């Protein structure tokens, strides 16, 4: 019989009542499953919040300190520590092991890499950090095969033996499904944070290349917010595309909205493993995206979406025109793959399994 374990989860992830997404739900379900198995679990976040499932979590808030400083100051022993969204291979991991605050450290990498790669100086710095500090991390988890490949490339081939993939998952049953897809004049949405790396400036440039016969009807709804919105709006002014883009802001119920559209457009420059892709496919809404991060591990070109080049407005414009005319289309149901391979329940089970794994 397995002894109950004491677990800490360190997450550099700000809790925001207005933004509840897939990771929030994963945290809630993982906490509940650990407790059901008799484990004790404590969470370290930048802030504390009592919204929704967070009311059930034992949270230690870092407030004006870093997550790492807060954990070291807390100075209690744990059998297993999981880290999410923390920098890998830093002196922190060495300190934790040398102070004997934990038996096993599992570091989860959610971070995207630049499409063109890191500059030489940063590549050297990461390789040195890998040599110095990777020994203090017992297991590296990448949220896609791409991420595991990048961990090994960043920090050294010696990490291959202690790196594995656990895909992010979603609560697919929450998503309403598209039943009748428009095969001509389809509707489009974008769902992302509004920042340069998401590539919406390329999409705007692509739409500007479309003929007036399409522009007269085309609408693209943009869900999300961010400081880059002002720049995007200036671009829309320059191209006179006010009738084609509608900024909807950040909404808490995208799971009930995806199904109102025919395609998700995601011209991103960098990605790790996109929950928006999983959510859209779960709603039976195909995805047009780029070959960055783990995107091609989910999107099969011409089957459940399309893969287009990064920063290539002409290619994006041509496909949008083909979709709009009905000369290109995805007619199949895209939701089955998500239910089989990317459920949040499977994600939780995979992480819980690491607690007892040697």
């Amino acid at each position: 019989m397995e002894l109950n374990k004491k677990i800490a989860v360190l997450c550099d992830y700000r809790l925001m009542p207005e933004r509840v997404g897939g990771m929030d739900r994963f945290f809630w379900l993982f906490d509940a499953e650990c407790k059901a198995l008799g484990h004790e679990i404590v969470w370290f976040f930048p802030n504390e919040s009592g919204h929704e499932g967070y009311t059930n979590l034992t949270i230690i808030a870092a407030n004006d300190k870093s997550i790492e400083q807060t954990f070291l100051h807390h100075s209690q022993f744990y059998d297993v520590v999981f880290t999410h969204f923390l920098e890998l291979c830093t002196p922190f991991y060495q300190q934790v092991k040398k102070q004997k605050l934990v038996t096993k450290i599992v570091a989860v990498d959610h971070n995207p890499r630049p499409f063109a790669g890191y500059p030489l100086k940063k590549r050297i710095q990461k390789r040195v950090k890998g040599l110095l500090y990777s020994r203090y991390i017992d297991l590296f988890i990448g949220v896609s095969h791409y991420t595991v490949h990048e961990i090994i490339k960043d920090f050294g081939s010696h990490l291959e033996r202690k790196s594995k993939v656990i895909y992010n998952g979603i609560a697919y049953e929450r998503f309403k499904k598209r039943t009748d897809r428009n095969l001509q004049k389809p509707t489009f949405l974008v769902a992302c944070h509004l920042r340069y790396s998401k590539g919406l400036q390329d999409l705007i440039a692509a739409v500007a290349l479309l003929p007036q016969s399409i522009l007269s009807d085309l609408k693209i709804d943009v869900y999300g917010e961010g400081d880059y919105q002002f720049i995007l709006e200036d671009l829309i002014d320059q191209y006179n595309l006010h009738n084609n883009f509608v900024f909807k802001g950040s909404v808490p119920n995208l799971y009930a909205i995806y199904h109102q559209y025919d395609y998700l457009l995601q011209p991103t420059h960098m990605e790790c493993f996109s929950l928006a892709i999983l959510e859209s496919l779960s709603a039976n809404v195909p995805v047009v995206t780029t070959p960055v991060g783990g995107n091609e591990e989910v999107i099969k070109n011409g089957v459940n979406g399309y893969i287009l080049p990064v920063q290539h407005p002409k290619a994006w414009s041509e496909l949008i025109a083909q979709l709009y005319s009905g000369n290109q289309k995805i007619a199949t149901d895209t939701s089955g793959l998500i239910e089989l391979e990317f459920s949040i329940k499977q994600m939780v089970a995979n992480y819980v399994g690491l607690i007892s794994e040697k």
Side-chain angles (χ1 to χ4, degrees), residues 20 44 50 85 95 109 112 132 175 186-187 195 221 244-245 254 291 351-352:
V20 174
F44 292 79
F85 306 104
Q95 288 178 274
D109 188 349
L132 291 175
F175 289 80
T187 54
R195 53 177 179 256
D221 289 342
N244 305 112
F245 287 91
L254 266 175
Y351 278 101
V352 169

Side-chain angles (χ1 to χ4, degrees), residues 55-78:
T55 59
N56 300 317
L57 273 60
T58 300
I59 295 174
I60 296 174
N63 295 320
D64 57 343
K65 295 181 180 178
S66 71
I67 300 292
E68 294 93 335
Q69 287 176 320
T70 303
F71 180 78
L72 291 170
H73 180 74
H74 184 63
S75 193
Q76 289 191 20
F77 173 80
Y78 292 90

Side-chain angles (χ1 to χ4, degrees), residues 1-5 7 30 34 37 39 79-80 82 104 106 139 349-358:
M1 182 176 173
E2 182 186 356
L3 296 175
N4 297 339
K5 301 288 181 69
I7 302 162
F30 182 70
C34 287
L37 293 170
H39 302 309
D79 296 289
V80 184
F82 292 89
K104 178 180 179 179
V106 178
L139 185 62
N350 288 335
Y351 278 101
V352 169
L354 298 179
I355 296 170
S356 56
E357 188 178 273
K358 300 298 183 185

Side-chain angles (χ1 to χ4, degrees), residues 46 79 87 91 154 191 231 235-236 243 251 265 267 273 289 297 316:
D79 296 289
E87 185 180 351
D154 286 348
I231 296 174
L235 280 174
I236 288 169
N243 294 328
V251 298
L265 303 177
F273 192 72
T289 188
E297 295 173 41
W316 279 77

Side-chain angles (χ1 to χ4, degrees), residues 180-318:
D180 296 310
R181 190 175 303 135
N182 294 311
L183 301 183
Q184 288 186 323
K185 294 188 176 182
T187 54
F188 300 99
L189 84 153
V190 173
C192 67
H193 297 298
L194 303 184
R195 53 177 179 256
Y196 175 82
S197 64
K198 293 300 182 181
L200 296 198
Q201 64 278 7
D202 306 328
L203 179 60
I204 292 168
V207 171
L209 296 174
L210 292 169
Q212 189 58 41
S213 58
I214 294 177
L215 289 176
S216 60
D217 290 326
L218 178 70
K219 289 284 192 301
I220 299 174
D221 289 342
V222 180
Y223 292 90
E225 52 189 31
D227 292 340
Y228 202 64
Q229 180 171 336
F230 300 107
I231 296 174
L232 297 174
E233 288 174 336
D234 284 344
L235 280 174
I236 288 169
D237 284 341
Q238 291 174 33
Y239 288 119
N240 194 25
L241 298 174
H242 308 94
N243 294 328
N244 305 112
F245 287 91
V246 180
F247 288 94
K248 298 282 194 176
S250 183
V251 298
N253 64 330
L254 266 175
Y255 61 89
I257 292 175
Y258 280 105
H259 80 287
Q260 298 172 12
Y261 297 88
D262 295 303
Y263 292 92
L264 173 74
L265 303 177
Q266 191 196 61
T268 180
H269 297 179
M270 54 192 293
E271 209 68 46
C272 195
F273 192 72
S274 171
L275 287 176
I277 285 179
L278 301 185
E279 292 170 351
S280 186
L281 295 181
S282 186
N284 190 26
V285 177
V287 178
V288 184
T289 188
T290 57
V292 300
N295 288 356
E296 291 182 285
E297 295 173 41
V298 184
I299 299 299
K300 306 305 176 189
N301 193 48
V303 177
N304 58 355
Y306 296 96
I307 300 291
L308 294 180
V310 176
Q311 293 181 299
H312 200 310
K314 186 172 185 294
W316 279 77
S317 183
E318 289 172 353

Side-chain angles (χ1 to χ4, degrees), residues 124-138:
I124 293 172
Q125 289 173 339
K126 284 182 173 290
R127 188 54 60 94
V128 171
K129 287 180 178 180
L131 291 171
L132 291 175
Y133 303 118
S134 65
R135 72 191 72 179
Y136 302 105
I137 298 173
D138 298 284

